[in-house]
Amino acid sequence: MHIEDAIRSRRAVKVYDPDFRLSREEKDELLQLALLAPTAFNLQHVRFVEVSDPALREQIREQAWGQAQVTDAAMLVVVCAQLDSWEKNAGRVWQGAPQEVQDYMAGAIDAYYRDKPQVQRDETMRSCGLKAQTLMLAARGKGLDSCPMDGFDFDAVARLINLPDNHLIGLMVAVGKRAVEPKPRVGKLPFDELVIRDRF
């Protein structure tokens, strides 16, 4: 599917064919594509928890107000991020670059993040969004559908997936084959209201 077609036809699909399955290889291919999305300073702080265990998916569904896509979609991904990746992985993610680049980036990363918890959180959330959108477009490009989700108890889901203390959850993404056609788009605000030229 052409990228423009994928963008135009992507919808937040809620109802999935529960009999449709994706193989481990097909899931991994989608995740590999999503991992190509950018992250700040190349920190690669996003972590995908791909939930395949049916019992765990049922538990997560209970914490997501019973939303059927949690269990019925072929794939469920909890998109998380490591808050302190800037401190722990800065050296690793620039290995292979010239030494002067490594030295510069180490200093720039430290100056940008140290003692700035809001910046640390904001950057992880931005990166989660970029990765999630890339996952959804990769799925659509293969004729699949998806649904970004924040309608769940974040703390409860964190406990269910054993989320480490230095991580947070950005959102979840369900991926699968739609069982019903999505309703027409409604309430779209005018282009000229949403796009500002130069300044408000």
Side-chain angles (χ1 to χ4, degrees), residues 29 122 152 182:
E29 183 179 2
D122 288 350
F152 58 93

Side-chain angles (χ1 to χ4, degrees), residues 40-160:
F41 291 100
N42 193 40
L43 284 173
Q44 302 164 61
H45 37 219
V46 174
R47 302 291 180 266
F48 292 134
V49 180
E50 191 269 305
V51 185
S52 295
D53 179 2
L56 181 55
R57 299 233 335 225
E58 285 287 351
Q59 291 177 297
I60 292 174
R61 180 173 173 169
E62 289 174 16
Q63 301 304 325
W65 310 319
Q67 294 181 80
Q69 65 266 34
V70 174
T71 54
D72 292 354
M75 182 178 184
L76 180 70
V77 180
V78 186
V79 183
C80 310
Q82 182 181 345
L83 280 162
D84 59 1
S85 183
W86 67 272
E87 192 169 26
K88 295 191 173 181
N89 296 318
R92 295 175 61 204
V93 300
W94 287 98
Q95 286 178 358
Q99 190 60 51
E100 61 271 18
V101 173
Q102 293 185 47
D103 294 343
Y104 173 80
M105 293 307 298
I109 289 168
D110 190 84
Y112 190 78
Y113 289 101
R114 185 169 299 282
D115 301 322
K116 299 174 187 170
Q118 187 65 49
V119 171
Q120 295 168 25
R121 186 182 189 283
D122 288 350
E123 287 287 8
T124 57
M125 296 302 277
R126 279 189 279 269
S127 293
C128 282
L130 289 165
K131 297 287 186 187
Q133 182 66 50
T134 303
L135 173 60
M136 291 187 288
L137 289 177
R140 190 70 199 120
K142 294 180 178 297
L144 300 169
D145 294 288
S146 62
C147 182
M149 300 181 63
D150 61 5
F152 58 93
D153 183 327
F154 280 66
D155 292 335
V157 171
R159 288 190 294 273
L160 287 170

